[in-house]
Amino acid sequence: TGFRQVFKLLTGERPQAKIKKADKWKQQVIANSTFLENNKDVIVWLGHASFFIRLNSISMLIDPVFFSLPNLPRMTKMPLNPEQFKDLDYILISHNHRDHCDKKTLKLLAKNNPNVTYLTSLRLDKYIQKWTKSDNIQTAGWYQTYKTEQIKIHFLPTRHWCRRYLWDLNTELWGGFVIRANGKTIYFSGDSGKGNHFKEVGELFDIDYAIIGTGAYAPEWFMGASHINPSDAFEAVKTMNAKTMIPMHYATYDLSNEPISEPYRMIKQHFEDAGMPERVRRLGVCEVLWL
């Protein structure tokens, strides 16, 4: 995307502006940390694209971002103290955007988890090592598998991009993860526009739980190459034949022009219209999905 498109985005019309301003919906937040006190298989949404997952006694965080970001306040409260995340086995980082790769969060987690292993994309290790001082960092290209114990974790392509500063466009890789253990397979899409990679994921793996973004898609002409809307997310779930979808990437940070409640409402409507409402689990923040 060039500067002309960015200028158009910032100065152009916003058809949903009044609707968005009037939308006072708040994402449900559940104060809960009991899932940290047992060893059961779980998926817990921590807001935006941050998840706690435990499979086969292996505990991990994906794209942990627990605080407000520069010029981007967190709209949903973090429901538990980040200091409670200890004895983690892995921390997965999908790409370098600040709403997925947060220096403050990673420094805090490094202090409380000195033996954790970081799994990320090619060349992103330079930031993680600098912030965490850890030597336990693995990077992967698309279709590669990390060296892990008791669990399989694969790095797969998505349609997105990378940048943290003005001079580093696409100097690191981005992607999604497939996590397998205990007879369960979880797909985490990371950030992604629509594309054939969803079909390929379904051909390569039998997906039980597909964690896919459904927010930050408006206006479509600007956001469509990087994020999918609820309609395209629904089609992606059907294409990969995932048994259950868990929507993410909405209601935590205000990144785009759609009303805050629209992703939550629309994904529900798509599954209901298709006669399969049981195939989507719209989690509250810190709600536990027992697997």
Side-chain angles (χ1 to χ4, degrees), residues 251-272:
T252 307
Y253 300 104
D254 187 1
L255 298 172
S256 53
N257 292 352
E258 75 271 3
I260 187 172
S261 68
E262 189 172 273
Y264 185 85
R265 292 183 284 104
M266 286 185 64
I267 197 64
K268 176 177 182 287
Q269 192 65 53
H270 282 299
F271 278 89
E272 287 180 349

Side-chain angles (χ1 to χ4, degrees), residues 32-46 50-62 85 88 151 179 181-182 184-186 209 211 246 281 283 286-291:
N32 172 41
S33 61
T34 57
F35 60 90
L36 296 173
E37 300 166 6
N38 60 66
N39 213 31
K40 297 179 180 178
D41 290 356
V42 296
I43 296 175
V44 183
W45 188 35
L46 302 172
S50 302
F51 284 83
F52 174 87
I53 294 177
R54 188 189 299 110
L55 279 182
N56 199 26
S57 300
I58 299 297
S59 298
M60 69 195 79
L61 287 172
I62 303 181
F85 289 107
L88 294 169
I151 198 167
I179 304 163
N182 254 7
K184 306 176 183 78
T185 300
I186 299 169
Y209 301 93
I211 303 173
I246 301 170
R281 284 295 305 270
L283 297 176
C286 220
E287 180 179 356
V288 180
L289 176 59
W290 304 99
L291 306 186

Side-chain angles (χ1 to χ4, degrees), residues 18 27 40 43 48 63 73 92 97-98 117 129 159 165 167 179-180 195 207 251-252 254 257 261 278 280 283 291:
K18 290 184 178 179
Q27 173 62 50
K40 297 179 180 178
I43 296 175
H48 199 56
D63 286 0
L92 285 60
H97 285 158
R98 295 172 190 269
T117 298
Q129 201 284 325
R159 185 185 177 198
Y165 308 101
W167 57 84
I179 304 163
R180 297 190 295 159
I207 303 297
T252 307
D254 187 1
N257 292 352
S261 68
E278 73 286 349
V280 62
L283 297 176
L291 306 186

Side-chain angles (χ1 to χ4, degrees), residues 6-35:
V6 174
F7 181 78
K8 179 182 175 183
L9 174 71
L10 296 176
T11 61
E13 293 184 4
R14 300 188 178 190
Q16 292 182 290
K18 290 184 178 179
I19 300 173
K20 179 174 181 175
K21 186 176 181 180
D23 191 344
K24 305 302 181 183
W25 178 83
K26 296 290 185 182
Q27 173 62 50
Q28 181 187 28
V29 178
I30 301 169
N32 172 41
S33 61
T34 57
F35 60 90

